[in-house]
Amino acid sequence: MNESSLARSILGGTAQGPVIATQEALSFWGGVDPATARVIDVHHSMHGICLTGAILMMPSSRGSCTGSGVLLDLVLNGRAPAALIFSEAEDVLTLGALIASELFGKPLPVLRLAPQAFAALASAKTARISDTAIEADGLSLSVSPPASSALDLTEADRAMIEGRDGIAVQQAMRIIGAMAVQQGARSLVDVTQAHIDGCIYASPANLTFAEKMAELGARVRVPTTMNAISVDRANWQEQGVPHDFGDPAARLADAYVRMGCRPTFTCSPYLLDSAPKCGETVAWAESNAVIFANSVLGARTAKHPDFLDLCIALTGRAPLSGVYLDEHRKARRIIDVEVPSEVDDAFWPLVGYLAGHAASDRIPLLRGLGAARPSRDDLKALCAAFGTTSAAPMLHVEGVTPEADGAVAADADRAVITRADLVAAWKSLNAGPEEVELVAIGSPHASLEECRALAAVLDGRQRHPDAAVIVTAGNAVIADARTEGTLARLEQSGVQVVPDLCWCSISEPVFPTRTRAVMTNSGKYAHYGPGLSGRAVRLGSLADCVTAALTGRAPVRLPTWLS
């Protein structure tokens, strides 16, 4: 490999600072505090480190699509890393840096290094980056300029770029084009629908972007659903949410509604009547939704970052790259899972979490799970947990998911998830006190079947007075639960069912302030919850959650299928 191929500029600029390097990908949303730039992911090796002013090196990002908004906020408020250096393809943080440069004139260099150059630079203490070179502790690397390949655009594409449909669409096409080039796309593709993740008030930058686009006259041109937001839109003031948070969070949701988005406010858009069909080309953001759409529904969507989701909704066009293409949907790692007998619902988030660790940078094929006959909700839990620990936009489950047959690439390698791995992960995600003050259900948003199951297990019994039980769900599910009487049964047991919010966006006082420990059946929230809430969060089955709800306690022990 010649020196010129060792380092490539993705987004130009100059920077200098201390080198902070990790071999573990990080989600900026749920992993980095926008107010301090400190890593808050308690499961990450960089926990507690401040990233401001650093040359941050990691293989790629992972987890939430909302990381682009967190990075943009850090840039706009002077708390961002000085530069980002990856060794693999990366879209989420790159898009945040692109928006900072394109819309706000604040460039942040993004580079990609070959593995040997990445390893050499990672051992340096400080580095200086220019448009043409990286200098660090005696190491000198030439930097190749950003890719500049021309896209094969349609007449309609060119008309949008030239401003035919207004400034907002023109700006959106510029952003899409820039992302397409850095992804290696040669053309764009039509999408039939979009799902917006950027409506979560992760930081003031999300509101700044949305209101700027709305003021420019932005209007979506394909049917577009909206993710969960950060407040119960109709009731946040009555709930005591502080005005300085509730008002901008509600304004953010309103901005997207003004742009023509459907106020679905759910992180489980695959539960809606508008869910895409197998083979349908869509543009979804929100990591769990993307993985479920690709893996379980057989639809096609890249893992679009926040902000790019709106750009695609405004134009109906997306970069034709990644898992939109057949060759990139194949598994490059086969994972054999040692499945214990008689597993319960807690098995699925646990194995998804481990599968993400085992395939952090590639699509896996999971083998051995078919005999356990996962339900739609089991697969929902698996996909959501997988998305917290992997950057991959999909997975395959042999004998279960629609593209699993023939889904293995010729160069695929192998891995195993053993019973010992399951035990270790369970202990890691189940650390905390036995006393539980809060039971959290609905991350991602609960389905009607999950609401029915919870009502059935509670069977009219009252929750313990010291243990709040909150279910977050989409309005469509709540309406169906109300019609059939399930909502009334839950409320009779003291369960609070909250619309619009999800556990990854909930805040005090809707999140009970007296809580010290949380019990959840979500692998996603078990991972993100400690950093987001500052509380201990324990993973368990639905039955474990009900035990905690009724008694205020949850014994720390292995499930029977791991004992």
Side-chain angles (χ1 to χ4, degrees), residues 79 139 406 460:
R79 295 188 293 266
L139 176 69

Side-chain angles (χ1 to χ4, degrees), residues 436-439 468 508 511-519 533-536:
V436 172
E437 292 81 27
L438 175 62
V439 175
E508 296 180 9
F511 184 106
T513 56
R514 63 181 182 81
T515 301
R516 292 172 297 170
V518 183
M519 192 77 191
S533 71
R535 274 78 163 191

Side-chain angles (χ1 to χ4, degrees), residues 24 27 31 83 104-105 172-173 177 225 269 364 477 535:
E24 184 181 4
S27 173
F104 300 99
M173 279 297 290
T225 52
V477 166
R535 274 78 163 191

Side-chain angles (χ1 to χ4, degrees), residues 358-384:
S360 61
D361 61 349
R362 65 196 64 195
I363 296 169
L365 170 68
L366 307 184
R367 302 201 312 185
L369 302 180
R373 301 175 64 84
S375 67
R376 181 181 68 169
D377 287 325
D378 293 333
L379 294 172
K380 169 174 169 280
L382 183 148
C383 289

